[in-house]
Amino acid sequence: MKKIEGDETPYRPISCDVYSELELAILHRQRLHVVWHEQNVSFSRTLLPVDLETEAGREFLHYRFPTGEVGRIRLDLIDRVGPV
């Protein structure tokens, strides 16, 4: 079984407004600047959001970096998000 990012902390649902903003960014292929944390490490990156997923009661943002690298972020670990 693959490890889910942030598995050690209970999932806290995000607001519907933030979820809707992420959906719109995906539809418009709008790059975002996202600040998030995982296991006491903070990240700040520009990325292209490509999809939203729910797995095991947790929601994730799938992304692509300008370098082509792909990944996902658990939504409740995002501290700030905004357009580039």
Side-chain angles (χ1 to χ4, degrees), residues 8-39:
E8 62 284 342
T9 59
Y11 183 77
R12 297 174 322 271
I14 66 165
S15 78
C16 292
D17 291 340
V18 172
Y19 195 90
S20 293
E21 288 178 32
L22 293 171
E23 286 179 315
L24 284 173
I26 291 166
L27 288 172
H28 294 283
R29 300 191 52 79
Q30 178 181 27
R31 290 185 311 141
L32 298 173
H33 183 81
V34 180
V35 177
W36 75 98
H37 63 279
E38 292 179 25
Q39 300 175 356

Side-chain angles (χ1 to χ4, degrees), residues 1-14 19 51-62 72-77:
M1 180 173 172
K2 115 178 131 170
K3 180 183 179 301
I4 298 175
E5 295 87 346
D7 229 7
E8 62 284 342
T9 59
Y11 183 77
R12 297 174 322 271
I14 66 165
Y19 195 90
D51 198 9
L52 292 165
E53 170 193 30
T54 301
E55 178 183 304
R58 296 174 175 97
E59 297 171 306
F60 296 88
L61 172 68
H62 288 259
R72 70 180 188 170
I73 304 167
R74 203 174 95 175
L75 294 188
D76 66 331
L77 300 182

